[in-house]
Each structure stands twice: as C-alpha cells, then as structure tokens.
C-alpha cells in the first residue's frame, strides 16, 4: 500500500518537490485511530500532513479515514 501511495505522491502535481521518506514500518507504528474523528481505521486510509509545507516525513504524518481527510480539506478551503 505504501509503495503505491509513494508512487502516486511522487508523480502528483500537488506534491511535487515534497520529501516522501516515511516508511511502511513508520506508517504501521502510527496510531490506529483517525486523527479527525478518533474512530478506528479499518479501511479507507489516507495520510495527512500536519504541516502542509513539509513532506511525508516521520513526525509530520498522521492517519485519517479517506472521508475525514476530504472533509478536513473542504473546511480548510472554505476559510
């Protein structure tokens, strides 16, 4: 999963130039609950960057449900 995600991020126009160094093990070590709704993540995982100016690096990534991640970004855009 992480390999596929890394490929998509690396070739995405939105993430161009960002460092993508988080490993599968590091992602597995993150909390198993969604940072947004605090419910367990069983499917539909997205990685969210805490600081949008930094890449997908250890300490700057949290797990979220895909739907929660979308909601969060819609809220940010409306501000």
């Amino acid at each position: 999963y992480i390999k596929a995600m890394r490929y998509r991020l690396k070739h995405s126009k939105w993430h161009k130039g960002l460092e993508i160094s988080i490993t599968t093990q590091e992602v597995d070590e993150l909390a198993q609950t969604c940072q947004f709704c605090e419910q367990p993540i069983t499917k539909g995982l997205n990685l969210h960057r805490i600081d949008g100016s930094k890449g997908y690096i250890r300490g700057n990534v949290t797990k979220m449900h895909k739907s929660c991640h979308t909601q969060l970004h819609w809220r940010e855009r409306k501000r």
Side-chain angles (χ1 to χ4, degrees):
Y1 176 80
I2 298 300
K3 283 183 182 182
M5 183 179 286
R6 270 189 160 152
Y7 180 84
R8 286 194 309 272
L9 292 172
K10 199 173 199 178
H11 294 89
S12 164
K13 66 180 179 180
W14 304 110
H15 300 95
K16 210 166 206 148
L18 291 177
E19 181 180 354
I20 305 168
S21 62
I22 195 159
T23 65
T24 303
Q25 181 179 353
E26 290 168 339
V27 170
D28 288 344
E29 291 170 359
L30 293 172
Q32 298 302 313
T33 56
C34 175
Q35 187 71 24
F36 189 76
C37 72
E38 299 181 355
Q39 297 297 313
I41 297 174
T42 55
K43 61 181 181 176
L45 166 71
N46 264 29
L47 295 179
H48 174 71
R49 289 177 291 135
I50 298 164
D51 181 343
S53 67
K54 296 179 183 177
Y56 291 84
I57 57 175
R58 184 181 200 145
N60 192 46
V61 175
T62 185
K63 290 180 182 176
M64 283 189 177
H65 291 111
K66 186 174 183 176
S67 58
C68 291
H69 193 246
T70 301
Q71 286 179 26
L72 176 67
H73 284 289
W74 274 108
R75 285 182 183 181
E76 289 175 352
R77 287 181 187 151
K78 288 183 179 182
R79 287 184 194 172

